[in-house]
Amino acid sequence: MNNRDACIILNMLSGIGFVKYKALVNAFGEPARIFSATKPELTAVKGISDTLADKILSYQEHVDLDNELLLAERGGVQIITLADKEYPEVLKNIYDPPLCLYIRGKLPEFNNNSVAIVGSRKMSMYGERMTKSFAQEAV
């Protein structure tokens, strides 16, 4: 497993966000090494419960990486992870950066006048309304 695939898998596992991702990477050096860890090594990391350690160790029961990559390719979506050099530096420096960016099209050139709306892939009706409202006001 490479670091890119590991980031995508971690992003797809419920219960893992940036804080836990960062703690895991700090403990194991790089994302791919997380999946070689034992349960005691995982639970020694702050914020990683027995349940979450089990989920990481049995990630194949929860995540279908090959299907995710296939769906992205079919949809013309590029996945950029924190492990990729293309990940925007400006996003790496925010408080809670997304582990992965799902992008259709091309990333803009980031400058001091950039605005982004980041949310879940399973948007609620309220989330959709608010996103449209924020985007219209930002424009």
Side-chain angles (χ1 to χ4, degrees), residues 99-139:
L99 303 184
C100 297
L101 302 173
Y102 287 71
I103 301 163
R104 185 176 290 139
K106 183 181 174 193
L107 276 177
E109 294 295 325
F110 289 96
N111 59 40
N112 291 335
N113 297 320
S114 297
V115 174
I117 299 173
V118 178
S120 113
R121 288 188 287 164
K122 296 179 182 176
M123 185 181 338
S124 68
M125 294 298 290
Y126 174 77
E128 185 175 358
R129 283 194 318 272
M130 290 296 99
T131 300
K132 286 179 183 177
S133 175
F134 291 154
Q136 287 172 346
E137 290 299 318
V139 169

PDB file of all heavy atoms in Angstrom, residues 99-139:
ATOM      1  N   LEU A  99      -8.657  15.406   4.438  1.00  0.00           N
ATOM      2  CA  LEU A  99      -7.631  14.420   4.097  1.00  0.00           C
ATOM      3  C   LEU A  99      -7.525  14.251   2.594  1.00  0.00           C
ATOM      4  O   LEU A  99      -6.447  13.989   2.062  1.00  0.00           O
ATOM      5  CB  LEU A  99      -7.934  13.064   4.740  1.00  0.00           C
ATOM      6  CG  LEU A  99      -8.094  13.027   6.256  1.00  0.00           C
ATOM      7  CD1 LEU A  99      -8.282  11.596   6.732  1.00  0.00           C
ATOM      8  CD2 LEU A  99      -6.925  13.672   6.942  1.00  0.00           C
ATOM      9  N   CYS A 100      -8.647  14.380   1.917  1.00  0.00           N
ATOM     10  CA  CYS A 100      -8.701  14.211   0.467  1.00  0.00           C
ATOM     11  C   CYS A 100      -9.562  15.300  -0.148  1.00  0.00           C
ATOM     12  O   CYS A 100     -10.539  15.739   0.448  1.00  0.00           O
ATOM     13  CB  CYS A 100      -9.315  12.863   0.092  1.00  0.00           C
ATOM     14  SG  CYS A 100      -8.392  11.431   0.653  1.00  0.00           S
ATOM     15  N   LEU A 101      -9.182  15.685  -1.343  1.00  0.00           N
ATOM     16  CA  LEU A 101      -9.988  16.591  -2.148  1.00  0.00           C
ATOM     17  C   LEU A 101     -10.457  15.817  -3.367  1.00  0.00           C
ATOM     18  O   LEU A 101      -9.653  15.168  -4.038  1.00  0.00           O
ATOM     19  CB  LEU A 101      -9.159  17.795  -2.607  1.00  0.00           C
ATOM     20  CG  LEU A 101      -8.524  18.651  -1.520  1.00  0.00           C
ATOM     21  CD1 LEU A 101      -7.598  19.683  -2.151  1.00  0.00           C
ATOM     22  CD2 LEU A 101      -9.588  19.328  -0.683  1.00  0.00           C
ATOM     23  N   TYR A 102     -11.747  15.868  -3.630  1.00  0.00           N
ATOM     24  CA  TYR A 102     -12.322  15.233  -4.818  1.00  0.00           C
ATOM     25  C   TYR A 102     -12.608  16.378  -5.783  1.00  0.00           C
ATOM     26  O   TYR A 102     -13.459  17.225  -5.516  1.00  0.00           O
ATOM     27  CB  TYR A 102     -13.594  14.481  -4.470  1.00  0.00           C
ATOM     28  CG  TYR A 102     -13.339  13.190  -3.706  1.00  0.00           C
ATOM     29  CD1 TYR A 102     -12.902  13.205  -2.395  1.00  0.00           C
ATOM     30  CD2 TYR A 102     -13.539  11.966  -4.318  1.00  0.00           C
ATOM     31  CE1 TYR A 102     -12.658  12.030  -1.701  1.00  0.00           C
ATOM     32  CE2 TYR A 102     -13.309  10.782  -3.645  1.00  0.00           C
ATOM     33  CZ  TYR A 102     -12.868  10.815  -2.337  1.00  0.00           C
ATOM     34  OH  TYR A 102     -12.630   9.638  -1.661  1.00  0.00           O
ATOM     35  N   ILE A 103     -11.889  16.397  -6.893  1.00  0.00           N
ATOM     36  CA  ILE A 103     -11.930  17.554  -7.777  1.00  0.00           C
ATOM     37  C   ILE A 103     -12.354  17.146  -9.180  1.00  0.00           C
ATOM     38  O   ILE A 103     -11.780  16.233  -9.764  1.00  0.00           O
ATOM     39  CB  ILE A 103     -10.546  18.224  -7.843  1.00  0.00           C
ATOM     40  CG1 ILE A 103     -10.138  18.663  -6.447  1.00  0.00           C
ATOM     41  CG2 ILE A 103     -10.543  19.376  -8.820  1.00  0.00           C
ATOM     42  CD1 ILE A 103      -8.677  18.959  -6.315  1.00  0.00           C
ATOM     43  N   ARG A 104     -13.326  17.839  -9.673  1.00  0.00           N
ATOM     44  CA  ARG A 104     -13.701  17.706 -11.083  1.00  0.00           C
ATOM     45  C   ARG A 104     -13.296  19.028 -11.734  1.00  0.00           C
ATOM     46  O   ARG A 104     -13.746  20.085 -11.330  1.00  0.00           O
ATOM     47  CB  ARG A 104     -15.196  17.470 -11.246  1.00  0.00           C
ATOM     48  CG  ARG A 104     -15.563  17.216 -12.707  1.00  0.00           C
ATOM     49  CD  ARG A 104     -17.027  16.885 -12.899  1.00  0.00           C
ATOM     50  NE  ARG A 104     -17.304  15.571 -12.349  1.00  0.00           N
ATOM     51  CZ  ARG A 104     -18.400  15.261 -11.651  1.00  0.00           C
ATOM     52  NH1 ARG A 104     -19.302  16.180 -11.410  1.00  0.00           N
ATOM     53  NH2 ARG A 104     -18.586  14.059 -11.194  1.00  0.00           N
ATOM     54  N   GLY A 105     -12.423  18.942 -12.716  1.00  0.00           N
ATOM     55  CA  GLY A 105     -11.910  20.145 -13.345  1.00  0.00           C
ATOM     56  C   GLY A 105     -10.507  20.420 -12.845  1.00  0.00           C
ATOM     57  O   GLY A 105      -9.751  19.512 -12.532  1.00  0.00           O
ATOM     58  N   LYS A 106     -10.189  21.681 -12.733  1.00  0.00           N
ATOM     59  CA  LYS A 106      -8.836  22.088 -12.367  1.00  0.00           C
ATOM     60  C   LYS A 106      -8.880  22.948 -11.105  1.00  0.00           C
ATOM     61  O   LYS A 106      -9.767  23.784 -10.951  1.00  0.00           O
ATOM     62  CB  LYS A 106      -8.231  22.885 -13.527  1.00  0.00           C
ATOM     63  CG  LYS A 106      -6.814  23.299 -13.315  1.00  0.00           C
ATOM     64  CD  LYS A 106      -6.305  24.095 -14.512  1.00  0.00           C
ATOM     65  CE  LYS A 106      -4.916  24.618 -14.170  1.00  0.00           C
ATOM     66  NZ  LYS A 106      -4.470  25.617 -15.114  1.00  0.00           N
ATOM     67  N   LEU A 107      -7.924  22.725 -10.228  1.00  0.00           N
ATOM     68  CA  LEU A 107      -7.816  23.575  -9.044  1.00  0.00           C
ATOM     69  C   LEU A 107      -7.441  24.988  -9.477  1.00  0.00           C
ATOM     70  O   LEU A 107      -6.612  25.164 -10.367  1.00  0.00           O
ATOM     71  CB  LEU A 107      -6.728  23.059  -8.106  1.00  0.00           C
ATOM     72  CG  LEU A 107      -7.106  21.966  -7.135  1.00  0.00           C
ATOM     73  CD1 LEU A 107      -5.881  21.521  -6.341  1.00  0.00           C
ATOM     74  CD2 LEU A 107      -8.191  22.413  -6.192  1.00  0.00           C
ATOM     75  N   PRO A 108      -8.026  25.981  -8.847  1.00  0.00           N
ATOM     76  CA  PRO A 108      -7.655  27.363  -9.181  1.00  0.00           C
ATOM     77  C   PRO A 108      -6.291  27.710  -8.602  1.00  0.00           C
ATOM     78  O   PRO A 108      -5.773  27.012  -7.736  1.00  0.00           O
ATOM     79  CB  PRO A 108      -8.748  28.184  -8.497  1.00  0.00           C
ATOM     80  CG  PRO A 108      -9.144  27.340  -7.328  1.00  0.00           C
ATOM     81  CD  PRO A 108      -9.022  25.912  -7.804  1.00  0.00           C
ATOM     82  N   GLU A 109      -5.728  28.781  -9.085  1.00  0.00           N
ATOM     83  CA  GLU A 109      -4.524  29.329  -8.468  1.00  0.00           C
ATOM     84  C   GLU A 109      -4.967  29.991  -7.162  1.00  0.00           C
ATOM     85  O   GLU A 109      -5.861  30.819  -7.168  1.00  0.00           O
ATOM     86  CB  GLU A 109      -3.866  30.364  -9.384  1.00  0.00           C
ATOM     87  CG  GLU A 109      -3.321  29.771 -10.666  1.00  0.00           C
ATOM     88  CD  GLU A 109      -2.175  28.807 -10.440  1.00  0.00           C
ATOM     89  OE1 GLU A 109      -1.369  29.039  -9.518  1.00  0.00           O
ATOM     90  OE2 GLU A 109      -2.090  27.813 -11.179  1.00  0.00           O
ATOM     91  N   PHE A 110      -4.385  29.576  -6.075  1.00  0.00           N
ATOM     92  CA  PHE A 110      -4.779  30.145  -4.790  1.00  0.00           C
ATOM     93  C   PHE A 110      -3.995  31.427  -4.545  1.00  0.00           C
ATOM     94  O   PHE A 110      -2.805  31.507  -4.785  1.00  0.00           O
ATOM     95  CB  PHE A 110      -4.535  29.156  -3.657  1.00  0.00           C
ATOM     96  CG  PHE A 110      -5.484  28.001  -3.683  1.00  0.00           C
ATOM     97  CD1 PHE A 110      -5.124  26.802  -4.275  1.00  0.00           C
ATOM     98  CD2 PHE A 110      -6.743  28.112  -3.144  1.00  0.00           C
ATOM     99  CE1 PHE A 110      -5.998  25.732  -4.312  1.00  0.00           C
ATOM    100  CE2 PHE A 110      -7.631  27.059  -3.166  1.00  0.00           C
ATOM    101  CZ  PHE A 110      -7.251  25.868  -3.750  1.00  0.00           C
ATOM    102  N   ASN A 111      -4.709  32.431  -4.063  1.00  0.00           N
ATOM    103  CA  ASN A 111      -4.079  33.682  -3.659  1.00  0.00           C
ATOM    104  C   ASN A 111      -4.823  34.199  -2.437  1.00  0.00           C
ATOM    105  O   ASN A 111      -5.660  33.513  -1.879  1.00  0.00           O
ATOM    106  CB  ASN A 111      -4.079  34.691  -4.811  1.00  0.00           C
ATOM    107  CG  ASN A 111      -5.486  35.011  -5.300  1.00  0.00           C
ATOM    108  OD1 ASN A 111      -6.407  35.148  -4.493  1.00  0.00           O
ATOM    109  ND2 ASN A 111      -5.662  35.118  -6.601  1.00  0.00           N
ATOM    110  N   ASN A 112      -4.543  35.395  -2.052  1.00  0.00           N
ATOM    111  CA  ASN A 112      -5.165  35.940  -0.843  1.00  0.00           C
ATOM    112  C   ASN A 112      -6.650  36.212  -1.003  1.00  0.00           C
ATOM    113  O   ASN A 112      -7.338  36.486  -0.035  1.00  0.00           O
ATOM    114  CB  ASN A 112      -4.447  37.224  -0.421  1.00  0.00           C
ATOM    115  CG  ASN A 112      -3.052  36.940   0.076  1.00  0.00           C
ATOM    116  OD1 ASN A 112      -2.769  35.839   0.541  1.00  0.00           O
ATOM    117  ND2 ASN A 112      -2.166  37.909  -0.040  1.00  0.00           N
ATOM    118  N   ASN A 113      -7.174  36.153  -2.212  1.00  0.00           N
ATOM    119  CA  ASN A 113      -8.579  36.456  -2.442  1.00  0.00           C
ATOM    120  C   ASN A 113      -9.389  35.205  -2.752  1.00  0.00           C
ATOM    121  O   ASN A 113     -10.389  35.268  -3.454  1.00  0.00           O
ATOM    122  CB  ASN A 113      -8.711  37.459  -3.591  1.00  0.00           C
ATOM    123  CG  ASN A 113      -8.062  38.782  -3.255  1.00  0.00           C
ATOM    124  OD1 ASN A 113      -8.173  39.251  -2.133  1.00  0.00           O
ATOM    125  ND2 ASN A 113      -7.365  39.365  -4.202  1.00  0.00           N
ATOM    126  N   SER A 114      -8.981  34.077  -2.265  1.00  0.00           N
ATOM    127  CA  SER A 114      -9.668  32.817  -2.548  1.00  0.00           C
ATOM    128  C   SER A 114     -10.681  32.489  -1.463  1.00  0.00           C
ATOM    129  O   SER A 114     -10.485  32.802  -0.292  1.00  0.00           O
ATOM    130  CB  SER A 114      -8.659  31.666  -2.632  1.00  0.00           C
ATOM    131  OG  SER A 114      -7.769  31.865  -3.692  1.00  0.00           O
ATOM    132  N   VAL A 115     -11.762  31.859  -1.884  1.00  0.00           N
ATOM    133  CA  VAL A 115     -12.788  31.378  -0.966  1.00  0.00           C
ATOM    134  C   VAL A 115     -13.107  29.940  -1.373  1.00  0.00           C
ATOM    135  O   VAL A 115     -13.204  29.640  -2.557  1.00  0.00           O
ATOM    136  CB  VAL A 115     -14.075  32.229  -1.051  1.00  0.00           C
ATOM    137  CG1 VAL A 115     -15.177  31.638  -0.201  1.00  0.00           C
ATOM    138  CG2 VAL A 115     -13.793  33.652  -0.641  1.00  0.00           C
ATOM    139  N   ALA A 116     -13.279  29.073  -0.395  1.00  0.00           N
ATOM    140  CA  ALA A 116     -13.650  27.686  -0.691  1.00  0.00           C
ATOM    141  C   ALA A 116     -14.788  27.273   0.228  1.00  0.00           C
ATOM    142  O   ALA A 116     -14.867  27.717   1.377  1.00  0.00           O
ATOM    143  CB  ALA A 116     -12.459  26.759  -0.489  1.00  0.00           C
ATOM    144  N   ILE A 117     -15.650  26.442  -0.285  1.00  0.00           N
ATOM    145  CA  ILE A 117     -16.718  25.855   0.514  1.00  0.00           C
ATOM    146  C   ILE A 117     -16.448  24.364   0.527  1.00  0.00           C
ATOM    147  O   ILE A 117     -16.421  23.714  -0.513  1.00  0.00           O
ATOM    148  CB  ILE A 117     -18.103  26.166  -0.086  1.00  0.00           C
ATOM    149  CG1 ILE A 117     -18.334  27.668  -0.117  1.00  0.00           C
ATOM    150  CG2 ILE A 117     -19.191  25.451   0.717  1.00  0.00           C
ATOM    151  CD1 ILE A 117     -19.589  28.095  -0.846  1.00  0.00           C
ATOM    152  N   VAL A 118     -16.209  23.840   1.710  1.00  0.00           N
ATOM    153  CA  VAL A 118     -15.868  22.432   1.855  1.00  0.00           C
ATOM    154  C   VAL A 118     -16.959  21.765   2.668  1.00  0.00           C
ATOM    155  O   VAL A 118     -17.409  22.300   3.680  1.00  0.00           O
ATOM    156  CB  VAL A 118     -14.502  22.265   2.565  1.00  0.00           C
ATOM    157  CG1 VAL A 118     -14.160  20.808   2.760  1.00  0.00           C
ATOM    158  CG2 VAL A 118     -13.410  22.985   1.794  1.00  0.00           C
ATOM    159  N   GLY A 119     -17.398  20.614   2.221  1.00  0.00           N
ATOM    160  CA  GLY A 119     -18.438  19.905   2.957  1.00  0.00           C
ATOM    161  C   GLY A 119     -18.399  18.421   2.673  1.00  0.00           C
ATOM    162  O   GLY A 119     -17.504  17.919   2.010  1.00  0.00           O
ATOM    163  N   SER A 120     -19.376  17.745   3.161  1.00  0.00           N
ATOM    164  CA  SER A 120     -19.441  16.303   3.021  1.00  0.00           C
ATOM    165  C   SER A 120     -19.959  15.911   1.642  1.00  0.00           C
ATOM    166  O   SER A 120     -20.625  16.697   0.968  1.00  0.00           O
ATOM    167  CB  SER A 120     -20.321  15.737   4.134  1.00  0.00           C
ATOM    168  OG  SER A 120     -21.495  15.193   3.648  1.00  0.00           O
ATOM    169  N   ARG A 121     -19.627  14.697   1.235  1.00  0.00           N
ATOM    170  CA  ARG A 121     -20.118  14.215  -0.054  1.00  0.00           C
ATOM    171  C   ARG A 121     -21.589  13.853   0.028  1.00  0.00           C
ATOM    172  O   ARG A 121     -22.273  13.778  -0.974  1.00  0.00           O
ATOM    173  CB  ARG A 121     -19.309  12.996  -0.509  1.00  0.00           C
ATOM    174  CG  ARG A 121     -17.919  13.390  -0.950  1.00  0.00           C
ATOM    175  CD  ARG A 121     -17.204  12.229  -1.570  1.00  0.00           C
ATOM    176  NE  ARG A 121     -16.822  11.290  -0.542  1.00  0.00           N
ATOM    177  CZ  ARG A 121     -16.453  10.051  -0.774  1.00  0.00           C
ATOM    178  NH1 ARG A 121     -16.432   9.586  -1.977  1.00  0.00           N
ATOM    179  NH2 ARG A 121     -16.107   9.260   0.214  1.00  0.00           N
ATOM    180  N   LYS A 122     -22.102  13.597   1.215  1.00  0.00           N
ATOM    181  CA  LYS A 122     -23.516  13.261   1.406  1.00  0.00           C
ATOM    182  C   LYS A 122     -24.204  14.474   2.013  1.00  0.00           C
ATOM    183  O   LYS A 122     -24.483  14.532   3.195  1.00  0.00           O
ATOM    184  CB  LYS A 122     -23.656  12.032   2.299  1.00  0.00           C
ATOM    185  CG  LYS A 122     -23.068  10.791   1.673  1.00  0.00           C
ATOM    186  CD  LYS A 122     -23.190   9.597   2.573  1.00  0.00           C
ATOM    187  CE  LYS A 122     -22.549   8.393   1.910  1.00  0.00           C
ATOM    188  NZ  LYS A 122     -22.548   7.240   2.782  1.00  0.00           N
ATOM    189  N   MET A 123     -24.484  15.438   1.158  1.00  0.00           N
ATOM    190  CA  MET A 123     -25.025  16.704   1.606  1.00  0.00           C
ATOM    191  C   MET A 123     -26.517  16.586   1.928  1.00  0.00           C
ATOM    192  O   MET A 123     -27.261  15.947   1.196  1.00  0.00           O
ATOM    193  CB  MET A 123     -24.815  17.748   0.497  1.00  0.00           C
ATOM    194  CG  MET A 123     -25.222  19.130   0.893  1.00  0.00           C
ATOM    195  SD  MET A 123     -25.042  20.418  -0.383  1.00  0.00           S
ATOM    196  CE  MET A 123     -23.863  19.819  -1.519  1.00  0.00           C
ATOM    197  N   SER A 124     -26.905  17.224   3.007  1.00  0.00           N
ATOM    198  CA  SER A 124     -28.327  17.299   3.352  1.00  0.00           C
ATOM    199  C   SER A 124     -28.978  18.391   2.516  1.00  0.00           C
ATOM    200  O   SER A 124     -28.296  19.207   1.881  1.00  0.00           O
ATOM    201  CB  SER A 124     -28.482  17.634   4.842  1.00  0.00           C
ATOM    202  OG  SER A 124     -28.025  18.956   5.086  1.00  0.00           O
ATOM    203  N   MET A 125     -30.294  18.427   2.517  1.00  0.00           N
ATOM    204  CA  MET A 125     -31.022  19.478   1.801  1.00  0.00           C
ATOM    205  C   MET A 125     -30.658  20.851   2.380  1.00  0.00           C
ATOM    206  O   MET A 125     -30.454  21.809   1.640  1.00  0.00           O
ATOM    207  CB  MET A 125     -32.533  19.249   1.880  1.00  0.00           C
ATOM    208  CG  MET A 125     -33.004  18.000   1.159  1.00  0.00           C
ATOM    209  SD  MET A 125     -32.667  18.049  -0.606  1.00  0.00           S
ATOM    210  CE  MET A 125     -33.816  19.289  -1.126  1.00  0.00           C
ATOM    211  N   TYR A 126     -30.563  20.928   3.704  1.00  0.00           N
ATOM    212  CA  TYR A 126     -30.184  22.182   4.356  1.00  0.00           C
ATOM    213  C   TYR A 126     -28.775  22.588   3.911  1.00  0.00           C
ATOM    214  O   TYR A 126     -28.525  23.754   3.592  1.00  0.00           O
ATOM    215  CB  TYR A 126     -30.236  22.029   5.875  1.00  0.00           C
ATOM    216  CG  TYR A 126     -29.719  23.231   6.617  1.00  0.00           C
ATOM    217  CD1 TYR A 126     -30.496  24.382   6.740  1.00  0.00           C
ATOM    218  CD2 TYR A 126     -28.450  23.227   7.186  1.00  0.00           C
ATOM    219  CE1 TYR A 126     -30.021  25.497   7.410  1.00  0.00           C
ATOM    220  CE2 TYR A 126     -27.969  24.338   7.856  1.00  0.00           C
ATOM    221  CZ  TYR A 126     -28.757  25.470   7.972  1.00  0.00           C
ATOM    222  OH  TYR A 126     -28.278  26.570   8.621  1.00  0.00           O
ATOM    223  N   GLY A 127     -27.846  21.628   3.885  1.00  0.00           N
ATOM    224  CA  GLY A 127     -26.483  21.904   3.448  1.00  0.00           C
ATOM    225  C   GLY A 127     -26.430  22.421   2.026  1.00  0.00           C
ATOM    226  O   GLY A 127     -25.669  23.340   1.707  1.00  0.00           O
ATOM    227  N   GLU A 128     -27.261  21.855   1.166  1.00  0.00           N
ATOM    228  CA  GLU A 128     -27.317  22.297  -0.223  1.00  0.00           C
ATOM    229  C   GLU A 128     -27.825  23.738  -0.320  1.00  0.00           C
ATOM    230  O   GLU A 128     -27.264  24.566  -1.039  1.00  0.00           O
ATOM    231  CB  GLU A 128     -28.207  21.368  -1.047  1.00  0.00           C
ATOM    232  CG  GLU A 128     -28.225  21.700  -2.517  1.00  0.00           C
ATOM    233  CD  GLU A 128     -29.024  20.703  -3.344  1.00  0.00           C
ATOM    234  OE1 GLU A 128     -29.539  19.717  -2.788  1.00  0.00           O
ATOM    235  OE2 GLU A 128     -29.138  20.947  -4.556  1.00  0.00           O
ATOM    236  N   ARG A 129     -28.868  24.041   0.425  1.00  0.00           N
ATOM    237  CA  ARG A 129     -29.407  25.413   0.421  1.00  0.00           C
ATOM    238  C   ARG A 129     -28.368  26.409   0.936  1.00  0.00           C
ATOM    239  O   ARG A 129     -28.182  27.482   0.365  1.00  0.00           O
ATOM    240  CB  ARG A 129     -30.681  25.501   1.260  1.00  0.00           C
ATOM    241  CG  ARG A 129     -31.909  24.948   0.586  1.00  0.00           C
ATOM    242  CD  ARG A 129     -33.207  25.342   1.295  1.00  0.00           C
ATOM    243  NE  ARG A 129     -33.193  25.286   2.743  1.00  0.00           N
ATOM    244  CZ  ARG A 129     -33.481  24.209   3.489  1.00  0.00           C
ATOM    245  NH1 ARG A 129     -33.826  23.082   2.908  1.00  0.00           N
ATOM    246  NH2 ARG A 129     -33.461  24.269   4.800  1.00  0.00           N
ATOM    247  N   MET A 130     -27.707  26.052   2.036  1.00  0.00           N
ATOM    248  CA  MET A 130     -26.717  26.953   2.618  1.00  0.00           C
ATOM    249  C   MET A 130     -25.513  27.126   1.699  1.00  0.00           C
ATOM    250  O   MET A 130     -24.983  28.233   1.566  1.00  0.00           O
ATOM    251  CB  MET A 130     -26.255  26.447   3.989  1.00  0.00           C
ATOM    252  CG  MET A 130     -27.325  26.546   5.062  1.00  0.00           C
ATOM    253  SD  MET A 130     -27.801  28.256   5.398  1.00  0.00           S
ATOM    254  CE  MET A 130     -29.291  28.435   4.449  1.00  0.00           C
ATOM    255  N   THR A 131     -25.098  26.061   1.039  1.00  0.00           N
ATOM    256  CA  THR A 131     -23.969  26.152   0.110  1.00  0.00           C
ATOM    257  C   THR A 131     -24.294  27.104  -1.026  1.00  0.00           C
ATOM    258  O   THR A 131     -23.487  27.965  -1.387  1.00  0.00           O
ATOM    259  CB  THR A 131     -23.609  24.756  -0.441  1.00  0.00           C
ATOM    260  OG1 THR A 131     -23.248  23.911   0.649  1.00  0.00           O
ATOM    261  CG2 THR A 131     -22.461  24.831  -1.432  1.00  0.00           C
ATOM    262  N   LYS A 132     -25.490  26.963  -1.590  1.00  0.00           N
ATOM    263  CA  LYS A 132     -25.902  27.872  -2.670  1.00  0.00           C
ATOM    264  C   LYS A 132     -25.959  29.308  -2.167  1.00  0.00           C
ATOM    265  O   LYS A 132     -25.513  30.238  -2.851  1.00  0.00           O
ATOM    266  CB  LYS A 132     -27.255  27.443  -3.229  1.00  0.00           C
ATOM    267  CG  LYS A 132     -27.172  26.209  -4.097  1.00  0.00           C
ATOM    268  CD  LYS A 132     -28.539  25.808  -4.615  1.00  0.00           C
ATOM    269  CE  LYS A 132     -28.424  24.529  -5.433  1.00  0.00           C
ATOM    270  NZ  LYS A 132     -29.739  24.073  -5.901  1.00  0.00           N
ATOM    271  N   SER A 133     -26.489  29.504  -0.980  1.00  0.00           N
ATOM    272  CA  SER A 133     -26.590  30.847  -0.424  1.00  0.00           C
ATOM    273  C   SER A 133     -25.202  31.450  -0.193  1.00  0.00           C
ATOM    274  O   SER A 133     -24.948  32.590  -0.575  1.00  0.00           O
ATOM    275  CB  SER A 133     -27.366  30.793   0.890  1.00  0.00           C
ATOM    276  OG  SER A 133     -27.376  32.054   1.517  1.00  0.00           O
ATOM    277  N   PHE A 134     -24.292  30.686   0.418  1.00  0.00           N
ATOM    278  CA  PHE A 134     -22.925  31.188   0.663  1.00  0.00           C
ATOM    279  C   PHE A 134     -22.223  31.515  -0.644  1.00  0.00           C
ATOM    280  O   PHE A 134     -21.571  32.541  -0.772  1.00  0.00           O
ATOM    281  CB  PHE A 134     -22.101  30.165   1.436  1.00  0.00           C
ATOM    282  CG  PHE A 134     -22.532  29.958   2.861  1.00  0.00           C
ATOM    283  CD1 PHE A 134     -22.273  28.745   3.492  1.00  0.00           C
ATOM    284  CD2 PHE A 134     -23.179  30.935   3.588  1.00  0.00           C
ATOM    285  CE1 PHE A 134     -22.658  28.535   4.800  1.00  0.00           C
ATOM    286  CE2 PHE A 134     -23.574  30.735   4.903  1.00  0.00           C
ATOM    287  CZ  PHE A 134     -23.315  29.529   5.509  1.00  0.00           C
ATOM    288  N   ALA A 135     -22.374  30.615  -1.628  1.00  0.00           N
ATOM    289  CA  ALA A 135     -21.693  30.818  -2.910  1.00  0.00           C
ATOM    290  C   ALA A 135     -22.224  32.067  -3.606  1.00  0.00           C
ATOM    291  O   ALA A 135     -21.460  32.867  -4.152  1.00  0.00           O
ATOM    292  CB  ALA A 135     -21.865  29.586  -3.792  1.00  0.00           C
ATOM    293  N   GLN A 136     -23.554  32.243  -3.584  1.00  0.00           N
ATOM    294  CA  GLN A 136     -24.138  33.431  -4.234  1.00  0.00           C
ATOM    295  C   GLN A 136     -23.653  34.706  -3.553  1.00  0.00           C
ATOM    296  O   GLN A 136     -23.324  35.690  -4.215  1.00  0.00           O
ATOM    297  CB  GLN A 136     -25.653  33.356  -4.205  1.00  0.00           C
ATOM    298  CG  GLN A 136     -26.224  32.337  -5.171  1.00  0.00           C
ATOM    299  CD  GLN A 136     -27.712  32.123  -5.000  1.00  0.00           C
ATOM    300  OE1 GLN A 136     -28.314  32.523  -4.006  1.00  0.00           O
ATOM    301  NE2 GLN A 136     -28.305  31.466  -5.982  1.00  0.00           N
ATOM    302  N   GLU A 137     -23.612  34.705  -2.231  1.00  0.00           N
ATOM    303  CA  GLU A 137     -23.156  35.893  -1.500  1.00  0.00           C
ATOM    304  C   GLU A 137     -21.673  36.145  -1.735  1.00  0.00           C
ATOM    305  O   GLU A 137     -21.251  37.299  -1.826  1.00  0.00           O
ATOM    306  CB  GLU A 137     -23.462  35.759  -0.011  1.00  0.00           C
ATOM    307  CG  GLU A 137     -24.926  35.827   0.328  1.00  0.00           C
ATOM    308  CD  GLU A 137     -25.562  37.156  -0.076  1.00  0.00           C
ATOM    309  OE1 GLU A 137     -24.950  38.219   0.131  1.00  0.00           O
ATOM    310  OE2 GLU A 137     -26.667  37.124  -0.635  1.00  0.00           O
ATOM    311  N   ALA A 138     -20.878  35.093  -1.824  1.00  0.00           N
ATOM    312  CA  ALA A 138     -19.435  35.255  -2.055  1.00  0.00           C
ATOM    313  C   ALA A 138     -19.155  35.855  -3.423  1.00  0.00           C
ATOM    314  O   ALA A 138     -18.245  36.672  -3.582  1.00  0.00           O
ATOM    315  CB  ALA A 138     -18.719  33.921  -1.907  1.00  0.00           C
ATOM    316  N   VAL A 139     -19.952  35.449  -4.404  1.00  0.00           N
ATOM    317  CA  VAL A 139     -19.766  35.966  -5.768  1.00  0.00           C
ATOM    318  C   VAL A 139     -20.119  37.440  -5.786  1.00  0.00           C
ATOM    319  O   VAL A 139     -19.466  38.266  -6.346  1.00  0.00           O
ATOM    320  CB  VAL A 139     -20.619  35.172  -6.779  1.00  0.00           C
ATOM    321  CG1 VAL A 139     -20.653  35.853  -8.133  1.00  0.00           C
ATOM    322  CG2 VAL A 139     -20.103  33.761  -6.908  1.00  0.00           C
TER     323      VAL A 139
END
